[in-house]
Amino acid sequence: MMQKTNIKVVVDGKEYTQQGLVKIYIDRCYHTLHELKNLGEKLLNNQGQAISAGEIDSLPPEKVRSILLSNKLRIGKDELNRLYAEQYRQADEMWSEILAKSDGDYSKKAARAHIIVTGLTFSKYMKIIASAIKIRKFLLAMHPDHIDATMTSVTEIMGMYGKPTQMIGKLKESAPALINKEHNLRLIGASFLTSSPDKKNAVAMHQVKKIKGGIDMLAGAYFPSATPQELVDGHSIHMAVEISNAFKNVME
């Protein structure tokens, strides 16, 4: 009998069901489709028919994920960047103001999500790796707020707050807060504004320990001290959604 994959998510002491996270995901899909339409982009449904602004909210929830992803892939990175160019500028301005008001300590504003995945057999790990090979599609599908993503860069709405930010990721970053010694597998890196590579707008520290049949992950994103708390709290949920989705392809 095949072992079932389970994903448990706790944010700020509250457990989020996968159904609840899917609801957030779908809501953000509708939000992004409206945003693309407002920016003047032509949208198509899965049958290749044009979608009007008034028809977006009537799209079936079970299909809106694939509709958004197919439209992003069809539109392409260059056109998406053109559409969002002014919003990128506004996001850069927001981060520049935040950094100017901050004290250089990234430990004060921390987004965290505790994620436990069980039922991961070797074959399921291989399915995840196989999906990740198609890196752009894989990362775009992880969260509706991802506009573009590669191995070294990401453009997304941080914390479901404000406008999308173009960022370059770099590893070899110092731990932004105390580490958890039990979680001895760590990925630590930072994101910098693409337009101003000297401006560090976040530090990521994801800590993992192996458990029987799976992993126990402490996902963390650490922001400048003047970052709005709404963005920080929103990014805890953002991480819960995107990391859960990294494992969804192996769930029965």
Side-chain angles (χ1 to χ4, degrees):
M1 182 177 178
M2 185 172 289
Q3 189 176 9
K4 184 178 181 182
T5 303
N6 288 302
I7 304 174
K8 178 180 179 179
V9 176
V10 178
V11 174
D12 293 329
K14 176 183 177 181
E15 184 170 350
Y16 283 78
T17 66
Q18 286 303 303
Q19 292 88 344
L21 293 176
V22 167
K23 173 67 165 56
I24 294 169
Y25 188 109
I26 296 302
D27 287 346
R28 295 305 291 180
C29 285
Y30 287 118
H31 170 87
T32 304
L33 286 169
H34 277 295
E35 192 65 45
L36 288 169
K37 199 67 178 177
N38 290 338
L39 291 171
E41 185 56 46
K42 181 180 180 180
L43 300 175
L44 303 178
N45 62 20
N46 289 338
Q47 288 72 48
Q49 300 163 330
I51 304 169
S52 69
E55 292 171 330
I56 291 174
D57 289 331
S58 62
L59 294 172
E62 67 275 10
K63 294 183 179 179
V64 71
R65 177 195 302 250
S66 63
I67 290 172
L68 175 60
L69 181 59
S70 65
N71 274 282
K72 283 182 178 177
L73 293 171
R74 177 183 57 81
I75 294 166
K77 178 174 73 172
D78 291 344
E79 177 64 7
L80 286 169
N81 286 337
R82 186 192 70 78
L83 290 170
Y84 280 100
E86 175 57 21
Q87 294 195 20
Y88 296 161
R89 187 196 65 77
Q90 293 172 26
D92 287 346
E93 188 175 85
M94 177 193 76
W95 285 113
S96 294
E97 291 176 359
I98 288 171
L99 286 163
K101 296 175 182 177
S102 296
D103 60 10
D105 185 347
Y106 286 73
S107 68
K108 296 175 181 177
K109 292 291 182 77
R112 297 185 179 91
H114 186 187
I115 299 157
I116 301 171
V117 185
T118 54
L120 285 177
T121 61
F122 178 76
S123 64
K124 290 176 180 178
Y125 273 119
M126 293 307 294
K127 285 183 181 179
I128 295 170
I129 293 169
S131 295
I133 289 172
K134 298 177 180 178
I135 190 70
R136 184 165 182 265
K137 182 177 180 180
F138 180 74
L139 294 175
L140 284 178
M142 283 171 67
H143 201 291
D145 287 0
H146 292 180
I147 305 300
D148 191 45
T150 69
M151 288 294 290
T152 57
S153 65
V154 64
T155 301
E156 67 177 42
I157 301 174
M158 301 289 277
M160 301 180 285
Y161 178 96
K163 307 300 182 184
T165 306
Q166 287 185 303
M167 294 166 284
I168 300 170
K170 298 179 182 179
L171 298 176
K172 298 182 179 180
E173 185 76 14
S174 299
L178 290 175
I179 62 172
N180 186 301
K181 292 183 180 180
E182 287 187 1
H183 290 67
N184 57 351
L185 302 173
R186 294 184 193 91
L187 177 65
I188 306 176
S191 60
F192 298 79
L193 301 184
T194 302
S195 63
S196 304
D198 61 323
K199 294 181 177 179
K200 180 169 64 178
N201 71 316
V203 180
M205 180 167 68
H206 302 323
Q207 305 177 79
V208 177
K209 71 175 179 180
K210 294 180 181 178
I211 58 176
K212 185 177 180 180
I215 61 169
D216 183 312
M217 176 186 291
L218 301 175
Y222 301 79
F223 296 97
S225 58
T227 303
Q229 191 61 43
E230 183 180 348
L231 187 156
V232 178
D233 294 342
H235 206 70
S236 297
I237 305 301
H238 179 108
M239 290 189 299
V241 170
E242 66 183 356
I243 295 171
S244 291
N245 274 302
F247 295 97
K248 284 293 181 67
N249 66 312
V250 298
M251 293 185 71
E252 287 79 37

